[in-house]
Amino acid sequence: DPGPGHSIEYVVTRSDGSTINGRIPDATKDRPRLGYHRRFMVSEKIAAQVPPPEAPQEVRDEARRTWLPLVKGVARRLLADHGGEQVQLTLVQHFLPGPEEVLAGTVEPDNRSPLGSFAVATAVGKALAVVSGPDVPENDAAGEGIAQGETAR
């Protein structure tokens, strides 16, 4: 059993209100194959850093310091590539069903965990602001994370 695979779904919103939906990796768009593999490894790296929602708050807070910079890098790239103003990211966990589940028609749906919404902070230029997301506190006392709506460097 190789375990579940992971991808990142995104919705980029442009200034005119139009949206672009996509997935990282995307087997139909990521060419050559090495490009697909690199993007697959990005989603797997992020998935390895994000604890499950039922993890204790302290664990989630500590893990956020590791995965948030990676996710912000993905958000910046998507915004630049698609000329977007805001992007919403969701981590998707794909389970590999067993033969019994397929035959019985009881294949479980994929798990989805929001990673957050990110927007270009217009007052700062290329900086990124966390609009919303899991475990983004109103006021981050440690100063190492990013408070909701605060500009990220």
Side-chain angles (χ1 to χ4, degrees), residues 17 20 54 56-57 63 68 78-79 84 96 100 108 114 122 132 139 143 147:
I20 299 170
E54 62 272 4
Q57 186 65 43
L68 188 58
L78 289 169
L79 290 170
L96 183 62
E100 311 81 32
E108 299 218 8
T122 55
S132 66
N139 183 3

Side-chain angles (χ1 to χ4, degrees), residues 70-139:
L70 300 171
V71 170
K72 287 181 356 187
V74 170
R76 275 189 197 95
R77 181 61 187 248
L78 289 169
L79 290 170
D81 287 353
H82 297 293
E85 287 192 348
Q86 186 168 339
V87 63
Q88 183 171 351
L89 301 175
T90 304
L91 181 65
V92 182
Q93 185 176 36
H94 309 278
F95 292 102
L96 183 62
E100 311 81 32
E101 295 168 302
V102 173
L103 290 173
T106 59
V107 177
E108 299 218 8
D110 295 334
N111 284 341
R112 287 177 161 66
S113 301
L115 294 173
S117 290
F118 304 87
V120 175
T122 55
V124 187
K126 298 271 184 191
L128 201 66
V130 177
V131 176
S132 66
D135 302 325
V136 178
E138 291 290 330
N139 183 3

Side-chain angles (χ1 to χ4, degrees), residues 10 21-31 36 39-40:
Y10 62 86
N21 298 307
R23 173 177 288 194
I24 301 169
D26 185 338
T28 61
K29 295 179 184 175
D30 292 334
R31 300 282 183 222
Y36 174 84
R39 288 170 187 83
F40 175 75

Side-chain angles (χ1 to χ4, degrees), residues 48-62:
Q49 303 296 322
V50 176
E54 62 272 4
Q57 186 65 43
E58 307 82 49
V59 171
R60 293 195 321 263
D61 288 345
E62 184 64 30

